[in-house]
């Protein structure tokens, strides 16, 4: 089985080489780019399994690269981890709104980055927990866990990988409260201090995308979220 291909788009040579070295140590296949425009072209031509994306890039900034990737049918399902010095909460929210699956702030721990890459790739591997339903229904919503598709009134929902797994986790536990820690563990595959707001941001984005069923995701104050039982 061929090793997953990771595209790293980063203009700082030292960081680019550091990330590439750790990825190669983990036996990933690494594709490198130091320019936003070139990185976008490489993503479209190579279709990597995951992209590590800096935001402040020559040629085209990382937010524009991410936006274009998510608008392109060929690349919109490729997971993106943003790796940037821009660490304000608003920057994180914008990144997630554009479809990033994760967001890391420089300076960063290479070990933590590898953990997050593995977690995101595991989410895209198609592995579902034992006993989990592969086809779920909620009124006119259908979620096909095996094929990573979701529909409302037979119209497809364009969800990021993380949004899809978040919806799946809530539906599989319909009527039960899922704490933010539980969601981080089950959907993201890890927990780090300060990441509860990551859950909130993704819930807000998911509500926007499921439109008429937005209110079926209930906020349980001080705890987490619950998908209404019918």
């Amino acid at each position: 089985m061929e090793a997953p291909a990771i595209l790293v788009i980063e203009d700082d040579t030292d960081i680019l080489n550091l990330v590439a070295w750790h990825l190669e140590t983990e036996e990933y296949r690494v594709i490198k780019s130091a320019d936003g425009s070139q990185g976008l072209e490489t993503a479209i031509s190579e279709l990597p399994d995951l992209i590590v994306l800096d935001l402040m890039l020559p040629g085209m900034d990382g937010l524009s690269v991410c936006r274009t990737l998510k608008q392109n049918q060929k690349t919109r399902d490729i997971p993106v981890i943003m790796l940037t010095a821009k660490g304000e909460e608003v920057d994180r929210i914008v990144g997630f709104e554009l479809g990033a699956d994760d967001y890391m702030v420089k300076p960063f721990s290479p070990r933590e980055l590898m953990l997050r890459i593995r977690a995101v790739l595991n989410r895209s591997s198609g592995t579902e927990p034992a006993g989990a339903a592969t086809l779920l229904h909620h009124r006119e919503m259908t979620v096909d866990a095996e094929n990573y598709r979701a529909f409302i009134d037979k119209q497809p929902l364009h969800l990021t990988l993380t949004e899809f797994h978040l919806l799946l986790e809530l539906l599989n536990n319909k009527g039960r409260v899922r704490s933010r820690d539980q969601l981080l563990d089950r959907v993201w595959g890890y927990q780090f201090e300060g990441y509860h707001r990551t859950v909130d941001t993704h819930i807000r984005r998911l509500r926007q995308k499921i439109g008429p069923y937005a209110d079926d995701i209930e906020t349980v104050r001080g705890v987490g979220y619950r998908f209404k039982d019918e």
Side-chain angles (χ1 to χ4, degrees), residues 133-169:
T134 57
L135 198 64
L136 297 98
H137 300 278
H138 178 77
R139 289 188 279 170
E140 299 303 316
M141 180 191 295
T142 300
V143 178
D144 182 349
E146 185 175 357
N147 296 299
Y148 286 83
R149 297 183 299 177
F151 305 87
I152 292 179
D153 290 327
K154 299 182 180 179
Q155 297 300 310
L157 296 174
H158 299 300
L159 305 176
T160 66
L161 186 64
T162 302
E163 291 163 353
F164 182 87
H165 277 273
L166 184 56
L167 177 60
L168 196 59
E169 177 67 13

Side-chain angles (χ1 to χ4, degrees), residues 109-149:
S109 160
R111 183 178 179 183
E112 181 181 336
L113 176 60
M114 296 304 109
L115 172 64
R116 296 193 187 197
I117 287 172
R118 284 197 298 273
V120 172
L121 288 174
N122 285 339
R123 294 204 295 274
S124 64
S125 68
T127 303
E128 287 300 323
T134 57
L135 198 64
L136 297 98
H137 300 278
H138 178 77
R139 289 188 279 170
E140 299 303 316
M141 180 191 295
T142 300
V143 178
D144 182 349
E146 185 175 357
N147 296 299
Y148 286 83
R149 297 183 299 177

Side-chain angles (χ1 to χ4, degrees), residues 92 102-103 105 112 116 181 184 190-199:
R92 293 176 185 266
D102 209 340
Y103 194 107
V105 179
E112 181 181 336
R116 296 193 187 197
D181 284 339
L184 281 168
Y190 52 76
Q191 296 182 33
F192 291 104
E193 186 177 351
Y195 265 74
H196 284 181
R197 292 305 300 271
T198 295
V199 177

Side-chain angles (χ1 to χ4, degrees), residues 141 152 157 167 206-214 217 227:
M141 180 191 295
I152 292 179
L157 296 174
L167 177 60
L206 180 59
R207 281 172 170 156
Q208 292 171 356
K209 291 190 176 183
I210 64 174
Y213 300 122
I217 300 178
F227 206 101

